[in-house]
Amino acid sequence: MEALLASTFTVAIAEIGDKTQLLALILAARFKNKTAIILGILLSTLFNHFAAAWIGQWAINWVSPDLARYLVAASFFAIALWVLIPDKVDAEESRFYKMGPFLATFILFFIAEMGDKTQIATVVLAAKYDSLTMVVAGTTLGMLVANVPVVIAGHFSAEKLPMLWIHRGCAVLFALLGVATLLF
């Protein structure tokens, strides 16, 4: 349960103001079929985060437990610094839009998530917790918690959120995860 809750909370917070959340806002403004957008986000995230979690669990088996602990903690500290840099997404017309809301969302989210903070966080969380299923379920749930409200209320502007404080809070969260990894 700890892996599920930590993964959900960590990714939901990290996703606020992230490029994929901005992409969700653009897709919600572009397409009327919100269900197709949400399903695209769900399936894209499941595929992407499963691969990321699998890599995290595979990689952690190649290093000693002590080195693994330091690598995971260092990764959390690096992500803490990374979230302080706000993301931007290009709002230009995409050739994927003509594929419809589901396929456009699926493809664009999958591409946008490659090397993204939340994907890297999934790798690190999977290395920390020995439960691939719970980490993938948690990170996917976290993505949905952060993105579904944006899709449903797509006409509201994310600029009304206190992004500086959200990014700082997220950085503190990742730093605390790094400290907890070192101590426990």
Side-chain angles (χ1 to χ4, degrees):
M1 233 13 214
E2 181 184 347
L4 177 72
L5 294 175
S7 298
T8 301
F9 185 69
T10 300
V11 169
I13 297 296
E15 183 65 7
I16 297 173
D18 192 69
K19 68 183 170 206
T20 46
Q21 190 178 49
L22 298 174
L23 177 60
L25 184 64
I26 291 168
L27 290 165
R30 171 88 173 145
F31 297 110
K32 291 185 192 284
N33 189 342
K34 307 303 185 208
T35 304
I37 296 168
I38 293 167
L39 286 174
I41 292 170
L42 170 66
L43 291 178
S44 179
T45 301
L46 278 172
F47 281 110
N48 192 296
H49 286 201
F50 175 79
W54 182 83
I55 288 169
Q57 287 202 337
W58 173 80
I60 206 68
N61 291 321
W62 290 92
V63 296
S64 71
D66 284 337
L67 179 59
R69 191 178 82 206
Y70 292 120
L71 288 173
V72 169
S75 297
F76 279 131
F77 292 131
I79 295 170
L81 293 173
W82 190 3
V83 298
L84 294 173
I85 303 167
D87 281 325
K88 294 187 180 10
V89 69
D90 295 329
E92 66 188 45
E93 284 294 309
S94 171
R95 60 189 161 107
F96 297 112
Y97 288 165
K98 63 183 167 213
M99 295 178 169
F102 173 76
L103 280 177
T105 301
F106 181 87
I107 293 167
L108 290 170
F109 252 77
F110 193 87
I111 292 168
E113 194 62 14
M114 298 302 288
D116 194 49
K117 292 180 285 253
T118 51
Q119 186 191 43
I120 302 302
T122 302
V123 171
V124 175
L125 287 161
K128 179 174 174 54
Y129 296 105
D130 192 29
S131 178
L132 183 123
T133 303
M134 288 296 154
V135 169
V136 173
T139 59
T140 301
L141 184 58
M143 289 288 284
L144 293 173
V145 165
N147 288 305
V148 168
V150 170
V151 172
I152 292 170
H155 60 281
F156 292 114
S157 175
E159 296 169 0
K160 296 178 182 178
L161 295 173
M163 296 310 296
L164 178 65
W165 290 105
I166 290 170
H167 284 272
R168 287 180 180 173
C170 187
V172 168
L173 172 68
F174 277 109
L176 288 174
L177 284 169
V179 170
T181 299
L182 289 174
L183 296 177
F184 305 108

